[in-house]
Amino acid sequence: MLTSANWMNEYLDPPATAHEQAEMLTRAGFPLEASEPLSGSDVRQDYEMTSNRGDCVCHVGLAREIAAISGRRFRPPGPASAATGPPAAGVVSVTNHEPELCPLYTARVIRGARVRPSPDWLADRLRAIDQLPRNNIVDASNFVLFELGQPTHVFDLARLEGSQIIVRRAAPGEAFLPIGEGAAEVELSAADLVIADARQAVAIAGVKGGAPTAVSDTTTDLLIEAATFDPVAVRNTSRRLGIDSDSSYRFERGVHAGQVNAAADRLVELLLDLAGGELCDGVVSDGAPIPPPRRASMRIERCRAILGVPITDEQMMAWLEALEFAPTRDGGVIHCTVPVHRLDIDREIDLVEEVGRMMGHDSLPVTETIEVRVAAPQPTELARQAVNDGLVGMGFVETITHGLIEAQHAGPFLLPGSQVLGLEDEGGQTAGHAQAGTVLRPSVLPSLLRVLAHNHDNGVAHLRLFESAATFELHEGTNVEREMLALVTDVEPADEGLRGLRGVIERLLEMLLGPDVAITIEPDSTASWLSPGAVVTADGRRIGRLGMIAADTARMFHLDGEVAAAELEIKPLTGRYPPDTEARALPSFPAVERDVSAIVDEAIPWMRFQGVVVGLGLEHLEAVEFVSTFRGRPIAAGRKSVTLRVRFRAPDRTLVHESVDVQVNALVKALETELGAEIRR
C-alpha cells in the first residue's frame, strides 16, 4: 500500500519521521518495500499488506499501529456536521433485497453542492499516493477511502430514476457501463450484486460505479453511498468481469458494518466543506442488524508459554489497551472486546499474536536446534508402497500422467448418468461437454492406453502399466472425485485372455485385505469401454472393474492387439492395511485331490461351480480350485469344459482315495442337477 508520511502524521502526536514510520510498521508486520522522496518534506512509502489486515489498508489503520507500538497519541478524525435540510427519507428510498450479501447500505443526501477543482491540500494528498485528482466530489470520496479504509460512492441524485436505491442481484444478461474513460459495457449474471435505481443497475456492488449516474460538472444534488458487501461476492464478480478497483481491493478484505456510518459522516463533512450545499436530515438505510461486538479471551500463562518470554500482566494489558481491545483481567485470564475494524481476531491465539507483535518478533527467543520425532509411516502409505512393489514384482511399469485429457478420449469412459468436468476459465465459462477440448479425466485408463499406444509405436510390445491417480466426474449433478488404481496389459497367448490380469488383482486383494478375502468377479456390460467386462467385489463391496478393452475403444487409441484392463478404487483397499492375519499350523496329514471335468453352457461362470461345491458342505473339503477351460471339438458350440480340483484333508488321519468317493459322487450329482453338466469321464 502506498502512503504519505506527512498524511500519516496528521493522526499521530508527536509526529514520526518517515524512517520511524517504516521501522515501526515493519516491526508491526508490514514490511517497507519501497520509499520515494516527494517535493517538499513528504515521503511516499510502499508497505506490504497481508490479506487478513484490511483495517490497515489506509492511513488511519497504519497510524493506529504506530501509536500502539511507539506510545504516541492516536488522533483519528472526529467528523461533525449538522443537517439543515428536510428529512432524507422524503428525498430518496433504499430497499435492500440481499442483506446477506449487503449487510448494511446507507444513503445520505446533500442538495445544492457545487462541483469544482479540489483545493491544493486535497490534491496534494492524493498525488502523494499516486492518485490523480479529478474534482472535489470524487477526490473527497477517494480521500476517505485512503484515510479510513471505507469505500464510498457519490451518485448524481438527479440521474437516479425514481430517486430510488435498490440492492439486488443482476438480471441474467443485464448490461452495465462502468465509470471510466474508454470503459466498455459488460454483461452481468445472476451471481452479481448490483445497486440499481427504478430502471437499471447504477453500480456493481463493491466494485465499480456506473457511468449514467456519475457526478459531472452540472451535478448539484448528491446521494452519498456508504455500505458493506460480502467479500467473496465482491471478489467473484471482480474476477469474472475483469474489473479491479481500490474499492474492491478493500471490500475483498472485509469491512464491518460498524465502520460504515463513521466513514460516511467523515465524507459528508468533507463534501460540505469542499462543495457546499445543504445536508438533508437523517440516514436512509436498509440491511441486517449490526452484529454485537465479538469477545475473545487469553490465558496469561498460556501467552507466556507460547511466546517464551516473561511478559508482565500489566504490559500485556497496556498493549491490548493501545490496540483498542478494552481488556479486563479476571484472575489469570484477560477478556477483550474486539474492535469492529479487527476482523482477523477470533480466538486466544490471535490475542497472543498481538502481544507478540507489540513486543517485537525480534525479541522472541530463537532455539537453534529442535527435537524432531520421526513418525511411523501411515498404514495407507505402507499399503500404497506394498501395491507398487507387488505390481513391479509382477512385471508392471508405473506411469505418471496428466489429470487433463482430451474430451474425445474422456467421453467413452463415462457411465450412464455421468458427465465430464471441465475447467473454468477467467471469464467463468466451463468446458464441460465432449466438444470443449481439455477436461478432467473420469478414468485413468485413457491415459494408460495412450502410453501403451505410444510404446507400441516405438517398438515396445507386451507391456504392463499401472498408475494410481484421481479421477473426476459430474454424476447426477454432484462432483465426484475418486482415487483409482488402473492396470492395462497386452494380452499374450499364454495369458488365456483375462486370466493373467485376474490373477494379479486377486494377489493384490489378498495382500491388502488378507488371505481370507472373499473375491467375486461377475460379468457386467454397464461399462461400454470393456467387452467383455466384469465387476470386482471384495468382501461384498464393489471396488472396481475388469475386462478387455472394447474394439472401438482400442481403435480410438490406435491399438491393434487385445488389451486387458482393470480399475480399482484405492481407498477401500488401503484403509484396512495391514490386514489381520492368523498363524495356522501346517497340516499333519496328506490330502487327497480329485479333478472333475464338466461340460456346461458357455454362460455359466466359474463362480457358479465354486458356489455349488462349497454349498454342499462336503466332509473334509479343504479347497476347490479352478484348473482350466477347454473349448472346441468334440465339445459342441456354445458349451465349454471346465476342470476343477477339489482337495480333501482330515485333521486326525490320512485319507485314502476310497474315503472321498462318496463326497465326489455327491459333487458330480450336484453339478449335473444344478448346472446341467455333462461329466467327462
Side-chain angles (χ1 to χ4, degrees):
M1 174 191 166
L2 294 178
T3 68
S4 157
N6 288 351
W7 189 351
M8 191 91 71
N9 280 327
E10 291 184 4
Y11 316 109
L12 294 171
D13 184 21
T17 66
H19 176 75
E20 289 173 331
Q21 292 178 17
E23 184 180 62
M24 286 180 282
L25 288 176
T26 299
R27 172 181 162 186
F30 307 100
L32 179 69
E33 294 189 323
S35 183
E36 176 187 356
L38 301 177
S39 59
S41 60
D42 204 0
V43 179
R44 177 188 296 154
Q45 305 201 101
D46 187 7
Y47 293 98
E48 180 182 338
M49 290 287 119
T50 56
S51 60
N52 66 325
R53 291 303 303 272
D55 62 298
C56 287
V57 189
C58 61
H59 285 78
V60 163
L62 292 176
R64 184 187 289 111
E65 295 289 311
I66 292 173
I69 287 178
S70 66
R72 286 175 168 81
R73 187 164 68 91
F74 174 51
R75 302 187 308 175
S81 54
T84 58
V91 179
V92 68
S93 66
V94 172
T95 304
N96 186 353
H97 292 299
E98 299 290 339
E100 290 188 0
L101 299 180
C102 176
L104 179 63
Y105 189 97
T106 69
R108 291 162 172 78
V109 176
I110 295 177
R111 300 193 301 186
R114 181 183 173 189
V115 179
R116 52 194 171 191
S118 295
D120 290 343
W121 72 266
L122 177 55
D124 290 344
R125 285 284 180 261
L126 296 177
R127 290 192 188 98
I129 58 171
D130 206 24
Q131 294 289 314
L132 179 66
R134 299 186 182 279
N135 59 55
N136 56 344
I137 308 299
V138 175
D139 293 349
S141 179
N142 286 337
F143 180 87
V144 170
L145 171 61
F146 293 107
E147 179 185 53
L148 299 176
Q150 169 69 53
T152 58
H153 186 68
V154 182
F155 295 100
D156 185 333
L157 181 58
R159 298 184 179 185
L160 288 173
E161 187 75 21
S163 297
Q164 296 181 41
I165 288 291
I166 303 170
V167 183
R168 61 170 173 82
R169 291 182 183 270
E174 184 172 1
F176 178 80
L177 179 61
I179 292 176
E181 185 176 348
E185 189 175 86
V186 297
E187 183 177 297
L188 305 177
S189 76
D192 300 325
L193 186 70
V194 298
I195 313 303
D197 60 14
R199 182 170 60 91
Q200 64 182 348
V202 296
I204 303 173
V207 179
K208 202 77 170 178
T213 57
V215 170
S216 67
D217 293 341
T218 61
T219 298
T220 58
D221 296 343
L222 310 175
L223 185 145
I224 297 97
E225 168 195 288
T228 182
F229 303 105
D230 177 71
V232 175
V234 172
R235 179 177 178 82
N236 288 343
T237 295
S238 174
R239 297 301 181 271
R240 190 183 68 79
L241 297 176
I243 301 176
D244 293 322
S245 66
D246 292 318
S247 293
S248 65
Y249 179 85
R250 180 65 180 88
F251 278 124
E252 288 173 17
R253 282 150 181 79
V255 172
H256 194 283
Q259 300 173 250
V260 171
N261 283 314
D265 290 341
R266 173 63 166 162
L267 176 57
V268 165
E269 179 185 53
L270 289 173
L271 289 173
L272 291 174
D273 181 58
L274 297 170
E278 177 186 61
L279 174 65
C280 291
D281 187 38
V283 179
V284 186
S285 64
D286 194 8
I290 295 178
R294 290 172 295 125
R295 301 279 295 174
S297 300
M298 178 184 72
R299 293 164 291 176
I300 295 174
E301 290 303 324
R302 179 63 176 161
C303 179
R304 292 193 185 105
I306 291 176
L307 297 179
V309 178
I311 310 170
T312 65
D313 299 5
E314 291 71 21
Q315 185 62 74
M316 293 184 194
M317 294 284 289
W319 281 329
L320 294 172
E321 182 69 39
L323 290 169
E324 302 180 9
F325 283 95
T328 60
R329 184 168 48 185
D330 181 10
V333 179
I334 297 177
H335 303 286
C336 295
T337 300
V338 181
V340 294
H341 58 270
R342 291 303 301 271
L343 299 181
D344 59 312
I345 304 298
D346 288 309
R347 51 187 178 159
E348 180 182 57
I349 193 64
D350 297 329
L351 296 176
V352 174
E353 182 182 1
E354 292 302 292
V355 173
R357 284 197 316 118
M358 293 299 101
M359 181 183 65
H361 293 152
D362 55 345
S363 301
L364 296 177
V366 177
T367 304
E368 295 184 358
T369 60
I370 59 174
E371 293 184 3
V372 177
R373 180 179 62 85
V374 179
Q378 296 181 0
T380 53
E381 293 306 313
L382 292 175
R384 295 172 192 274
Q385 189 60 53
V387 168
N388 290 1
D389 291 345
L391 288 172
V392 170
M394 289 183 276
F396 282 80
V397 177
E398 183 178 12
T399 70
I400 299 176
T401 56
H402 205 287
L404 297 173
I405 62 174
E406 295 180 17
Q408 61 179 352
H409 289 165
F413 290 85
L414 290 170
L415 291 171
S418 296
Q419 295 177 295
V420 293
L421 278 171
L423 298 179
E424 186 175 282
D425 61 24
E426 292 184 357
Q429 304 300 316
T430 300
H433 54 84
Q435 303 299 322
T438 302
V439 298
L440 293 166
R441 58 184 173 193
S443 167
V444 187
L445 292 178
S447 302
L448 294 187
L449 293 176
R450 183 175 56 80
V451 174
L452 190 67
H454 176 78
N455 280 272
H456 285 185
D457 292 343
N458 286 274
V460 181
H462 308 308
L463 193 61
R464 292 180 156 195
L465 303 174
F466 79 96
E467 181 173 352
S468 299
T471 64
F472 310 86
E473 64 182 0
L474 185 66
H475 184 69
E476 297 180 353
T478 302
N479 291 348
V480 179
E481 178 180 351
R482 297 187 183 91
E483 190 171 2
M484 306 297 289
L485 170 65
L487 311 165
V488 298
T489 175
D490 290 310
V491 175
E492 303 178 46
D495 289 336
E496 297 184 29
L498 290 171
R499 285 193 61 191
L501 188 55
R502 173 174 178 156
V504 170
I505 292 174
E506 289 178 346
R507 175 68 188 111
L508 290 177
L509 294 179
E510 290 174 358
M511 180 174 59
L512 294 172
L513 304 178
D516 297 326
V517 59
I519 304 170
T520 58
I521 298 179
E522 301 177 288
D524 180 81
S525 59
T526 307
S528 60
W529 61 92
L530 298 176
S531 180
V535 170
V536 181
T537 303
D539 288 338
R541 177 171 181 172
R542 178 179 292 191
I543 59 169
R545 297 179 180 278
L546 164 72
M548 301 293 295
I549 295 297
D552 55 347
T553 303
R555 283 193 295 271
M556 182 172 61
F557 292 92
H558 308 290
L559 291 167
D560 298 327
E562 291 187 316
V563 177
E567 199 163 26
L568 308 176
E569 192 171 356
I570 294 177
K571 190 173 182 179
L573 303 180
T574 60
R576 290 163 50 184
Y577 190 85
D580 294 330
T581 56
E582 179 182 352
R584 297 169 183 160
L586 294 175
S588 300
F589 300 93
V592 174
E593 293 182 343
R594 292 284 186 88
D595 288 357
V596 177
S597 296
I599 300 173
V600 296
D601 290 339
E602 184 68 52
I604 295 177
W606 163 249
M607 288 175 52
R608 290 283 306 279
F609 283 87
Q610 194 175 35
V612 168
V613 176
V614 173
L616 291 174
L618 300 175
E619 185 181 16
H620 302 316
L621 179 65
E622 183 178 81
V624 54
E625 299 172 348
F626 174 82
V627 177
S628 65
T629 300
F630 176 76
R631 299 173 178 87
R633 298 178 63 182
I635 299 172
R639 289 175 68 81
K640 61 184 177 182
S641 174
V642 177
T643 300
L644 58 92
R645 178 170 296 149
V646 287
R647 184 166 61 248
F648 299 91
R649 192 191 307 271
D652 56 351
R653 67 185 188 279
T654 299
L655 295 177
V656 295
H657 281 274
E658 291 77 7
S659 62
V660 299
D661 286 343
V662 174
Q663 291 92 319
V664 174
N665 290 336
L667 182 156
V668 168
K669 185 175 181 180
L671 294 177
E672 291 173 335
T673 302
E674 298 187 33
L675 302 184
E678 175 187 348
I679 305 302
R680 299 177 67 188
R681 306 294 181 180

